Amino acid sequence: MTVPPRRASLQTSFRVISARGRSRPVLAIVLALAVIVPLALIGSIILMTPLPSFLLGGRSAEDCAQAGTIATGASETARTDIPAEYLELYTKVGKQTGVQWNVLAAIGKRETDHGRSKLPGVSSGTNYAGAAGPMQFLISTWGGQAKIKVASGINGYASDGDGDGYGDVYNPADAILGAAKMLKRNGAPDDLRRAIFVYNRATWYVDQVLEIAERYAVTGDIGLPPEADPACDTNYVAAASDEVVQKILEYALDQRGKPYRWGGTGPDAFDCSGIIYMAYRNAGLSIPRTTFEQWPFGVRVQQGSERPGDLVFFNAGPGTSVDRPGHVGLVVAPGKMVEARCTRCGPIKVTTYGDRPNIVGFTRPLENDQVQAQLRHDLT
């Protein structure tokens, strides 16, 4: 995506705060909590009332269910700054796709001030880089022309958000839906930094979009899926009927929140195959260490037949191909996997894989002859 020059409206609506500027409020909050939290604990003991889940180091099922991928409300800043038509569209598309509405809104703000910019390419034509519409798609990325009939097999992000059968890059309903699809294809709602970076390849752009998104949410938070929160109990382990699979999932899920590190096998950081290797070791099983070795090791499984404990492989990373996948995740539930993705992709977490590109296939290491022999030995 292309970035229009900064406009006065953007500067007056959103003040960029430096890290140094944030330090004093953050320090004050930390010091305040140091006093408040112990008092809250004492008060709770005296009153014999349950403590809030965040003080207990976890989140209740109700809290996690309410978190979701969609911010529950727009802040006063959002309601004041976003035109009503656009706010309705951002919210609708967010619910439809699972991409945070406030992230979509932040991109719309940063790109064209929600379609209000008078710069070339917003309401007609293209800008100097060939981008068009309120969400600033390259025409080639959209589908080859500004308005195109949406049909199966279309090569691009052209989307029909208003039900007229056409994807019009200048129509906000179509453009916002197309932006959501692009973000989701590249990691949203879990891996927002990567998804936004692919949208416009600049780290400063990612930072600005996320800051605007925080200001637009009534909670002041970006919003994450509950399964991406290591404090949320999503019952993946309990749902696995096999005790061996439970041990594998238990280890992998316990690593949520830890960073990615190439070649890492813990305990502080892991790479994609390292966390799987160690999860199987936790169940007393030995499998190959690297993705390249893990791919031919397990028995192939058809997509749709995978189950917890299986591996899902992707044609991603340097030196990889459809016959040599370079990325792997551990299936924890239908459509869900634990993955350590990359240094810039955020911490280890549960993500979705059903709509991810470049899936090479699925394997079941538990049905490998060597693993079967290990399981039989454990039973004797």
Side-chain angles (χ1 to χ4, degrees), residues 18-43:
S18 68
R20 181 175 296 180
R22 291 180 184 270
S23 62
R24 290 182 179 177
V26 171
L27 179 60
I29 292 170
V30 171
L31 291 174
L33 286 174
V35 175
I36 293 171
V37 171
L39 291 176
L41 291 170
I42 295 170

Side-chain angles (χ1 to χ4, degrees), residues 6-14 81 109 112-113 116-117:
R6 293 190 177 189
R7 296 176 294 280
S9 61
L10 184 70
Q11 294 298 319
T12 55
S13 296
F14 295 99
D81 186 61
K109 174 66 179 180
T112 67
D113 195 18
R116 291 177 294 209
S117 170

Side-chain angles (χ1 to χ4, degrees), residues 107-182:
I107 289 175
K109 174 66 179 180
R110 185 61 189 83
E111 292 290 350
T112 67
D113 195 18
H114 309 299
R116 291 177 294 209
S117 170
K118 302 302 181 183
L119 290 171
V122 177
S123 57
S124 64
T126 62
N127 68 3
Y128 68 95
M135 303 302 280
Q136 291 289 276
F137 273 93
L138 294 172
I139 296 299
S140 59
T141 304
W142 184 251
Q145 57 193 69
K147 187 173 182 178
I148 186 170
K149 188 170 181 61
V150 175
S152 59
I154 188 170
N155 185 24
Y157 291 103
S159 302
D160 180 15
D162 60 0
D164 66 355
Y166 287 87
D168 184 348
V169 77
Y170 303 109
N171 182 329
D174 296 348
I176 292 169
L177 179 57
K181 289 181 177 179
M182 184 175 183

